[in-house]
Amino acid sequence: MTHSITIGPDRTGRTVAIVDGVIAATPDPAAPVIACPDGTIGPGAVCAHTHLYSGLAPYGMPAGEPAPQSFIEILEKVWWRLDRALDTETLRASARDYIAKALLAGTTSLVDHHESPRFIKGSLQVLADAAGELGVRALLAFGATERNFGRDEAEAGLAECANVEETPLVRRLVGLHASFTVSDETLREAGDLCRQLGTVLHVHVAEAADDVNDAKARGYAGPLERLIAFDALPAGSILAHGVHLSAEAVREADGRGLWFVQNPRSNEGNRVGYAANLRFSQRVALGTDGWAADMAVEDAALHRLAAAHGDNGADGRLAAGERLIAERFGLAAVGLSPGAAGDLVVRESGKVTTVVVGGRLVVESGRLVAADAGAIEAEARAAAARLWQRMAALPR
Ligand SMILES: [Zn+2]
């Protein structure tokens, strides 16, 4: 379903018309009008890499014992246990709470990378349903991997990517967890599936040195070169992190029209380093890697870390995210110009009051339109308690 709405004038006198989900030069005279004389209209924010499945983490996730000492231990003791414990109910509660908070913070697009190895088939529909209910724009992929159950697991993950039903606000991507947890056969199949579906790959690349070392042990210069060798990266593919890539590899990716997504808070938290070489690409968006999708907070963290690392190339990440979304949705423009996504945010004294996604009003007077955010959070807290029990019950 597509929507038309007219927002404004705002305090600067600006009015933005959205017709059939897209910014238009001329309003639809039949469309509802929301004036915002005390507010300022701006574009919606894009979170270009995240994990809806980690939305319950703020509600008491066990830290792993003894405390993880390395990036791989963080994965093994925390995230690779959490993802195996997910079922339909916990995933739904996680996704709804994460999306609710994203919209209330003015984030209108989420590029999700999903993993739930013991609940693969149907998992992306849970995410698509939550996105459709609350009204966020989403790119969805299952991060196929072989790390738990081998090749069958990877094939099921790739098949799940193809199961996504696209809507005006949902696009499917093909996902791989990372080069270091998949075989050559899976890489080849992922590339083939991208071409078959007419979409691109979303994959973690060189988040930590482990991914680079694995690719070198297999005879490649690094994970980027291994992915390229199997034709798994069509132009427009999305590479999360790139912390441990050389300047030369980043330039190579840029030349191939690949996107990077920098996730500064996650990289700092996991102590994997700062992605300094991303300044050699023109196509770097900002993600949160599962942290709450308030992009102003993430952008502030980026600029704090960029200053600390002498990186003067960290501007424009949020605008790049809008370009990434426009590319995947086949939109002609970005920002609030005609032909761009009909996604906008009105702020009053810095607070988000109104959010529109694809022409649909999803936040009004600072509250979700489709559901009660407090009830969603209460459900998330209850689901979190069940998820920690399920995690504890998993074999070590
Ligand atoms: Zn990630």
Side-chain angles (χ1 to χ4, degrees):
M1 192 159 58
T2 56
H3 296 78
S4 301
I5 196 167
T6 303
I7 305 290
D10 69 2
R11 61 199 297 268
T12 70
R14 182 180 209 178
T15 296
V16 177
I18 301 170
V19 176
D20 290 340
V22 177
I23 306 278
T26 318
D28 174 350
V33 179
I34 295 184
C36 45
D38 301 320
T40 309
I41 302 171
V46 175
C47 177
H49 175 75
T50 194
H51 301 283
L52 291 171
Y53 74 74
S54 71
L56 301 181
Y59 306 127
M61 182 176 70
E65 279 187 36
Q69 297 299 310
S70 67
F71 173 67
I72 294 292
E73 278 191 23
I74 292 171
L75 294 177
E76 288 176 346
K77 290 186 171 181
V78 181
W79 302 111
W80 291 355
R81 291 184 69 78
L82 185 153
D83 68 14
R84 281 182 290 144
L86 288 164
D87 61 1
T88 308
E89 292 311 313
T90 48
L91 180 60
R92 176 179 292 126
S94 181
R96 290 179 82 230
D97 192 54
Y98 190 94
I99 292 168
K101 289 184 164 65
L103 289 172
L104 290 168
T107 298
T108 53
S109 292
L110 298 172
V111 182
D112 190 62
H113 189 280
H114 177 64
E115 299 193 40
S116 50
R118 299 205 301 179
F119 165 44
I120 298 178
K121 191 162 191 279
S123 59
L124 295 184
Q125 193 58 47
V126 171
L127 305 183
D129 287 347
E133 177 203 359
L134 300 177
V136 78
R137 189 182 293 274
L139 303 180
L140 300 177
F142 193 98
T145 184
E146 294 167 40
R147 67 173 179 263
N148 302 287
F149 312 114
R151 277 278 293 153
D152 288 352
E153 177 184 13
E155 298 206 331
L158 292 175
E160 180 61 7
C161 298
N163 285 338
V164 172
E165 256 186 69
E166 298 196 329
T167 72
L169 294 183
V170 171
R171 291 289 179 274
R172 60 188 174 194
L173 307 177
V174 174
L176 290 177
H177 165 248
S179 168
F180 73 96
T181 67
V182 294
S183 63
D184 296 352
E185 289 74 21
T186 296
L187 286 179
R188 204 176 281 116
E189 286 178 10
D192 288 345
L193 185 60
C194 285
R195 284 178 285 281
Q196 188 189 321
L197 298 178
T199 188
V200 299
L201 194 75
H202 184 187
V203 58
H204 296 108
V205 174
E207 179 174 3
D210 310 80
D211 192 25
V212 178
N213 295 338
D214 172 86
K216 284 184 172 164
R218 295 178 199 249
Y220 299 89
L224 178 76
E225 291 80 357
R226 180 168 181 244
L227 288 159
I228 289 171
F230 289 94
D231 235 350
L233 293 178
S237 290
I238 300 166
L239 315 178
H241 300 297
V243 177
H244 291 266
L245 291 183
S246 64
E248 186 188 9
V250 171
R251 285 199 187 95
E252 167 78 21
D254 190 41
R256 289 173 174 268
L258 306 174
W259 289 98
F260 284 106
V261 183
Q262 190 168 3
N263 302 271
R265 281 185 298 175
S266 164
N267 293 161
E268 181 182 39
N270 287 337
R271 287 184 247 156
V272 294
Y274 178 77
N277 284 339
L278 295 187
R279 69 185 187 278
F280 296 112
S281 169
Q282 304 297 311
R283 298 161 65 91
V284 187
L286 191 64
T288 61
D289 202 21
W291 291 53
D294 184 331
M295 302 315 291
V297 173
E298 192 71 43
D299 201 43
L302 170 66
H303 282 86
R304 169 176 59 78
L305 289 162
H309 289 83
D311 175 11
N312 56 14
D315 288 334
R317 300 281 191 259
L318 290 172
E322 290 180 48
R323 286 191 282 133
L324 187 163
I325 290 297
E327 190 174 290
R328 290 270 53 83
F329 281 85
L331 296 162
V334 291
L336 295 172
S337 44
D343 305 350
L344 63 77
V345 177
V346 180
R347 286 183 172 80
E348 281 182 28
S349 316
K351 284 185 69 178
V352 172
T353 57
T354 303
V355 179
V356 173
V357 184
R360 174 180 166 195
L361 183 66
V362 297
V363 172
E364 188 175 22
S365 305
R367 289 165 177 267
L368 290 180
V369 172
D372 179 81
I376 290 176
E377 183 177 316
E379 270 178 43
R381 287 181 182 277
R386 288 201 304 278
L387 184 60
W388 313 148
Q389 285 171 4
R390 292 172 57 87
M391 272 176 86
L394 287 171
R396 292 277 155 190

